[in-house]
């Protein structure tokens, strides 16, 4: 049979070829993260230039900072807590102030007061050190409860009241409070209401041998580089930080991940190892911190590991162990870790 034979079966005519540029993709493209998220990575790199051996501490401070939360830092003296805050302020050209909490510190020493101006024959408001971008409350547990409570309005409402008039604080604003875990003489433990206002409680460990050698070399200017915060490059402005905080709302978190975060918090209340657990404010903090964790990873969506990665830091200061568990020697961190592992994470 010849191909010229009309009875020869011919293949069906093919449609005209479609240019590759017009072929639709087989899968939709993933959304591109906000390019401003990379700013947080730049801030972290600048801080780590002069703050050595505490990468995790830097990471969690930045997560709380971009999430609009406050941080309680616990560690021995001389581990560079003030240096960290100074370095963070340098990255966005922010204002940094420090309060050394002592037993004789008054609330007006924190928020400010009004004084009578003889020349103008009127009272003038003298704003306290809380009117800043980054406030380091050093050894906050050394001040009495009345002075500690002066921070409550500042931390929650972002304002300070002086002689009955409320004054808004600068933006961005963050409190980083420290306390010494060893020396407890003459201290006033923070009440639960104030502890709950800290998004995270972070523990500072001593650096390893090589890190401490590097710190000693650079701090004494025995090498080519120094640890001075002035070495840090300013990568953004306070207005950029505020925009970064606002863009946190654009990060996607699925209902299953929110449910997982809330289940973790509620598990601290139902656990037989705790006499009381975390409040609903902890649920809000955990979801918000998970978004900050995702932003630090330059992602515009939250995964369960983001929640699990910051759950210990968000929950450790919000629970109290039962007397039986405390007597057994089990620590708060071990208890929280066991509670976290008991809750199944969603699969995504």
């Amino acid at each position: 049979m010849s191909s010229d034979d009309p009875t020869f079966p011919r293949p069906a005519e093919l449609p005209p070829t479609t240019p590759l540029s017009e072929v639709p993709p087989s899968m939709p493209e993933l959304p591109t993260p906000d390019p401003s998220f990379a700013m947080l990575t730049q801030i972290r790199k600048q801080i780590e230039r002069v703050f050595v051996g505490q990468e995790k501490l830097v990471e969690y401070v930045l997560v709380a900072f971009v999430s609009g939360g406050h941080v309680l830092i616990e560690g021995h003296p001389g581990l560079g807590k003030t240096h960290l805050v100074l370095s963070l302020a340098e990255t966005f050209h922010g204002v940094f102030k420090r309060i050394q909490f002592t037993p004789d510190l008054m609330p007006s020493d924190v928020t400010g007061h009004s004084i009578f101006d003889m020349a103008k024959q009127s009272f003038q408001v003298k704003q306290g050190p809380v009117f800043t971008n980054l406030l380091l409350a050093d050894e906050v547990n050394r001040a009495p409860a009345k002075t500690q409570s002066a921070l409550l309005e500042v931390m929650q409402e972002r304002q300070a009241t002086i002689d009955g008039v409320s004054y808004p604080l600068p933006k961005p604003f963050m409190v980083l409070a420290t306390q010494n875990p060893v020396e407890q003489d003459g201290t006033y433990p923070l009440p639960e209401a104030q502890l709950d206002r800290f998004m995270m409680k972070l523990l500072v460990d001593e650096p390893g041998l090589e890190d401490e050698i590097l710190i000693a070399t650079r701090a004494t200017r025995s090498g080519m580089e120094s640890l001075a915060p002035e070495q840090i490059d300013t990568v953004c402005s306070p207005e950029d930080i505020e925009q970064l905080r606002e863009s946190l709302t654009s990060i996607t978190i699925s209902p299953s991940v929110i449910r997982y975060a809330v289940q973790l918090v509620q598990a601290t209340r139902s656990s037989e190892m705790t006499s009381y657990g975390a409040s609903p404010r902890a649920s809000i903090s955990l979801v918000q911190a998970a978004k900050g964790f995702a932003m630090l990873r330059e992602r515009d969506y939250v995964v369960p590991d983001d929640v699990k990665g910051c759950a210990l830091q968000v929950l450790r200061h919000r629970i109290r162990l039962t007397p039986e568990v405390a007597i057994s020697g089990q620590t708060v961190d071990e208890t929280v870790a066991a509670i976290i592992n008991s809750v199944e994470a969603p699969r995504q």
Side-chain angles (χ1 to χ4, degrees), residues 294-309:
M295 180 180 286
L296 191 64
R297 298 291 187 270
E298 297 185 30
R299 279 190 276 103
D300 59 357
Y301 58 92
V302 177
V303 298
D305 281 348
D306 295 329
V307 176
K308 193 171 184 178

Side-chain angles (χ1 to χ4, degrees), residues 242-319:
E242 278 302 296
Q243 291 179 4
L244 204 59
R245 286 181 169 184
E246 291 176 4
S247 64
L248 203 71
T249 59
S250 66
I251 294 180
T252 303
I253 179 168
S254 67
S256 62
V257 176
I258 295 179
R259 176 178 291 272
Y260 173 55
V262 175
Q263 286 175 335
L264 286 175
V265 174
Q266 291 199 345
T268 65
R269 303 174 204 159
S270 58
S271 173
E272 296 180 352
M273 297 181 288
T274 61
S275 57
Y276 70 82
S279 70
R281 185 184 281 121
S283 298
I284 299 172
S285 295
L286 187 52
V287 172
Q288 193 78 343
K291 286 188 171 186
F293 217 84
M295 180 180 286
L296 191 64
R297 298 291 187 270
E298 297 185 30
R299 279 190 276 103
D300 59 357
Y301 58 92
V302 177
V303 298
D305 281 348
D306 295 329
V307 176
K308 193 171 184 178
C310 54
L312 174 61
Q313 290 71 26
V314 172
L315 298 175
R316 61 160 51 114
H317 58 295
R318 290 182 159 100
I319 71 168

Side-chain angles (χ1 to χ4, degrees), residues 149-310:
S149 65
L151 280 178
L152 292 180
E153 180 187 17
V154 171
M155 294 170 64
Q156 187 68 26
E157 306 297 335
R158 302 295 201 277
Q159 66 180 22
T161 301
I162 303 174
D163 290 342
V165 180
S166 297
Y167 299 90
L169 301 180
K171 295 181 180 180
F173 175 74
M174 181 184 187
V175 173
L176 297 99
T178 70
Q179 59 183 15
N180 186 345
V182 177
E183 192 177 356
Q184 299 298 327
D185 292 340
T187 61
Y188 303 82
L190 296 178
E192 286 75 12
Q194 188 163 337
L195 283 173
D196 200 32
R197 281 165 170 77
F198 288 100
M199 174 177 277
M200 294 183 183
K201 179 182 179 181
L202 306 179
L203 307 181
V204 189
D205 298 322
E206 286 79 5
L209 175 62
E210 296 302 324
D211 287 333
E212 193 162 348
I213 291 173
L214 181 60
I215 291 171
T217 301
R218 294 172 64 180
T220 57
R221 299 185 183 273
S222 302
M224 297 298 294
E225 297 178 295
S226 73
L227 295 177
E230 292 77 13
Q231 303 294 322
I232 290 179
D233 297 329
T234 300
V235 299
C236 60
S237 65
E239 293 75 21
D240 293 328
I241 297 297
E242 278 302 296
Q243 291 179 4
L244 204 59
R245 286 181 169 184
E246 291 176 4
S247 64
L248 203 71
T249 59
S250 66
I251 294 180
T252 303
I253 179 168
S254 67
S256 62
V257 176
I258 295 179
R259 176 178 291 272
Y260 173 55
V262 175
Q263 286 175 335
L264 286 175
V265 174
Q266 291 199 345
T268 65
R269 303 174 204 159
S270 58
S271 173
E272 296 180 352
M273 297 181 288
T274 61
S275 57
Y276 70 82
S279 70
R281 185 184 281 121
S283 298
I284 299 172
S285 295
L286 187 52
V287 172
Q288 193 78 343
K291 286 188 171 186
F293 217 84
M295 180 180 286
L296 191 64
R297 298 291 187 270
E298 297 185 30
R299 279 190 276 103
D300 59 357
Y301 58 92
V302 177
V303 298
D305 281 348
D306 295 329
V307 176
K308 193 171 184 178
C310 54

Side-chain angles (χ1 to χ4, degrees), residues 36 41 45 50 75 112 198 232:
S36 64
T41 303
K45 289 180 179 178
V50 300
F198 288 100
I232 290 179

